[in-house]
Amino acid sequence: MKMNLPASFTEYTRALLGVEEYEKLVSALQQEPPVSIRLNRLKVENALSVQPPWSSEGIYLDERLTFTFDPLFHAGCYYVQEASSMFVEQVLRQHVTKPVVMLDLCAAPGGKSTHARSVLPEGSLLVANEVIRNRSQILAENLTKWGHPDVVVTNNDPADFSALPSFFDVILTDVPCSGEGMFRKDPVAVEEWSPENVEICWQRQRRIIADVWPSLKPGGILIYSTCTYNTKEDEENVRWIQQEFGAESLAVDIREEWNITGNLLCGESASVYHFFPHKTKGEGFFLSVLRKPETAGEDSYADYYSFPKGKSAGKKGKKGGGASSSPVSKENMATAGKWLNDECAGKYVLSAEGAEIHAFPQQCVAELAAMKQHLRVVQAGVSVGEVKGKDLIPAHALAMSALLLRQDVFATEAVSYEQAIAYLRKEAVTLPATAPRGYVLLTYRNIPLGFVKNIGNRANNLYPQEWRIRSGYLPEKIRVL
């Protein structure tokens, strides 16, 4: 079916690109969009060769998988991500060469956050934020499944981060935009587009940048991206950031055969990168990298607060409340410690929050304490277990964490595809009579899927209720990774 593009979009974009390039763009928008995923190297190897050349972990699929019914998708072995946006990897690999504290400001549902977490230098901390509360829960779910422990998920407005001056080394702002680059994948984006919405978007984008700019360290990097084509939301906003804040434009080394388009405004010096679907195999995407000037005498968070390594802040943040009694005992903490890989000793600190035990990177405890004073922290690190009555129940997040989980301390049972789907629906799971009693780790194709508690005649399903597959049917044709 032919896409009916808004007349004002056609007029503007034809003038921007020229008649010939515009017609090529329109022709590409009538084609089926490519399907791409990004593999989690912590869990699976990349055995496939057709991949976006700017991504070491992305692959193009010949046809769409039945993602909802693929246990490996739920186990965090891969993430469904648009290929063009994987270009963020090039920025991080070329401009981030030592451990950093990075903020992904508009992070839900988690594509760029999981990607960033995979390519950041070891020892880095990623803070993934989403302003809309229910979307922050989806973000937390996807990052939990991805399984890297050095992550904090927050639910805050961009302005809230001004309370943490000069806190982040890198900030990724994939700002809300008019969505022109998603026309092919999302018909609603076409229906909702208007020149008025473009005006609203570029102004909102500037407010977001202005709100979060104080929290970027002098010399820090801002990655500005949209999924739209127009220069108001792209080049003109980059120019504004340069003029308003004295930011320096940074180049990203690219290859000619990638067919990435540069600056669309004549005479502009900023390095910018456009992805057009008639030139690159992916959807519309725009990115620019800017460095904050090294300004002497600028305030930093460390000027106001200083926490010794390994210690937490003396007060609670916006989540509220002072210290309260916890049902977690020393024995519980000792048991939880045995569930972690030996190489985690000294690198991760265990702490109790209510009835839950969490593992968090030791070297980032001070940063977490600072964030808890001013931000709504949804989750931090990895939940290892929860005390209920006399039991310490291993957390699903532990099963998902390839770096932390010491798998040999749990009995394991391999399950079939049908059993895996039943487990992910949170249905009853029957284990062999030879399976030991107690907590058992289920695996599918040698990948941890989650825990059950085997009580003999049945196994209690411990999969998170809110994450379950809600569909009660299986498609006639199932295609999995």
Side-chain angles (χ1 to χ4, degrees), residues 14 79 102 166 174 194 223 237 274 306 320 389 401 406 422 434:
R14 183 188 286 127
Y79 192 95
M102 175 177 172
S166 302
D174 187 44
S194 69
I223 306 169
N237 270 352
H274 279 281
S306 178
S401 185
R406 182 173 179 177
T434 55

Side-chain angles (χ1 to χ4, degrees), residues 161-176:
F161 290 91
S162 63
L164 298 170
S166 302
F167 191 82
F168 298 103
D169 302 281
V170 181
I171 298 179
L172 169 60
T173 55
D174 187 44
V175 290

